[in-house]
Amino acid sequence: MRTWIVGLLAVVVSLLALRLAPVEGGGARAKKIVLLGMDRDHGPGEHEYMAGLAILAECLKQTPGVEVQVVKLGKTLPADTRFLEDANAVVCFLRRAGDFFRKTPPRARLEEVLKKGTGFVCLHWAVEGDKAVGAPFMAALGGYYEPGYSTNPHNTATVKPADPSSPIARGWKPFEARDEFYFKIRLLPDAKPAILASSLKDRQKKEYKDETIGWTYERKDSKGPLGPGRSFGFTGCHFHVNFGIPEFRRLIANAVLWTADVPVPEQGAPVALTAPVPKVP
């Protein structure tokens, strides 16, 4: 009888251990990263939002303990935003994410999500908002493209980390890319340059050295159960072909992981692709 009881207890303990065991990655659940995109609004090979997010999703899924959900939007956030509820990070690769702050319901919903500590990432055109939404948008992202002040001509430049010791700089070295790098970005005092372009020229051919094209920001009022409230903006990604550059993919993947409070591997995030990126002119 005693042997039977001991055996039963052993089975119960084993089942409880399996139920309570953490998921791969060491946490109680996988870190959820939501990628928000929309239909392309430029010619082929430019502003390929959904195709770019498909590549980013493929890269992020290679990090243990990460769950990725890709959501295609219309012109604004839909009425049903349950997909944002437990997101550890939200990535916007779409047109003028600042527009989400124009109307009260979407703005209130996004601010509600961010106050839980959810990371916030904007890529390329998503870093823009008009002056009417500049203050609340900067409070969320740490900086933004301000029409009339910032500029966006196409340039070929060397892209490099502002701080080589940053987690975002892990596993990649300076590289050259042609892109529509937005620059002269409005930044809050506590926002930190993360990615620099060695040399950019504006439309009047004036040259700017080591201009900020990517930044990080830790939101002071947004620490919560889903993370420390980190934000990242990056102004590249106009040309889809740049996703074919491993260093380009890695700097973005590193930054997204950082905003989601996922430890960035010392060698950088894994970003292997199963198929080459189409070289659309």
Side-chain angles (χ1 to χ4, degrees):
M1 177 67 72
R2 181 177 298 175
T3 302
W4 179 84
I5 293 175
V6 170
L8 179 60
L9 287 174
V11 171
V12 172
V13 170
S14 298
L15 290 174
L16 284 173
L18 286 173
R19 184 168 181 174
L20 296 175
V23 298
E24 184 179 9
R29 67 174 181 86
K31 293 293 185 77
K32 179 180 174 181
I33 298 174
V34 176
L35 310 181
L36 304 180
M38 57 178 49
D39 285 331
R40 185 183 73 224
D41 50 32
H42 280 50
E46 302 175 70
H47 289 209
E48 296 277 5
Y49 302 125
M50 300 310 297
L53 291 181
I55 290 174
L56 182 56
E58 181 180 353
C59 294
L60 292 171
K61 289 176 182 178
Q62 297 173 48
T63 295
V66 170
E67 170 193 341
V68 181
Q69 182 178 359
V70 181
V71 179
K72 186 177 180 180
L73 301 181
K75 294 183 178 180
T76 185
L77 289 175
D80 185 355
T81 58
R82 283 176 290 182
F83 57 85
L84 296 175
E85 190 62 35
D86 55 351
N88 296 90
V90 175
V91 179
C92 294
F93 186 30
L94 36 76
R95 58 184 299 150
R96 293 171 63 95
D99 287 356
F100 292 148
F101 287 82
R102 287 178 178 273
K103 298 180 180 179
T104 301
R107 171 178 166 181
R109 179 66 178 123
L110 189 56
E111 289 178 341
E112 175 188 353
V113 170
L114 296 185
K115 285 186 181 297
K116 296 179 180 180
T118 297
F120 188 45
V121 177
C122 287
L123 304 175
H124 198 51
W125 203 3
V127 305
E128 183 178 342
D130 63 29
K131 292 183 180 180
V133 299
F137 193 36
M138 281 213 295
L141 189 60
Y144 84 123
Y145 179 102
E146 181 184 298
Y149 174 77
S150 306
T151 188
N152 64 336
H154 295 178
N155 276 278
T156 298
T158 298
V159 178
K160 58 185 181 180
D163 178 7
S165 67
S166 166
I168 295 173
R170 291 176 183 169
W172 62 277
K173 296 181 180 180
F175 62 93
E176 185 175 89
R178 176 177 176 267
D179 210 320
E180 187 185 44
F181 295 115
Y182 301 169
F183 62 102
K184 293 179 66 180
I185 299 295
R186 290 286 193 192
L187 295 175
L188 291 177
D190 291 335
K192 297 180 180 179
I195 311 295
L196 305 177
S198 59
S199 176
L200 297 173
K201 291 184 178 179
D202 64 15
R203 299 185 188 282
Q204 289 72 45
K205 304 304 180 183
K206 179 181 177 180
E207 187 174 18
Y208 293 78
K209 295 286 189 179
D210 290 339
E211 193 70 16
T212 297
I213 57 172
W215 64 93
T216 59
Y217 179 60
E218 299 205 33
R219 307 186 306 270
K220 292 182 173 57
D221 63 343
S222 298
K223 294 181 180 180
L226 294 176
R230 295 170 174 169
S231 296
F232 173 75
F234 178 59
T235 71
C237 300
H238 178 88
F239 295 116
H240 186 66
V241 68
N242 286 333
F243 283 97
I245 303 172
E247 294 86 353
F248 188 90
R249 299 195 301 273
R250 181 161 287 126
L251 80 84
I252 297 173
N254 285 352
V256 173
L257 294 178
W258 176 80
T259 63
D261 198 27
V262 176
V264 179
E266 287 299 323
Q267 70 275 19
V271 293
L273 298 181
T274 54
V277 176
K279 295 184 178 180
V280 180

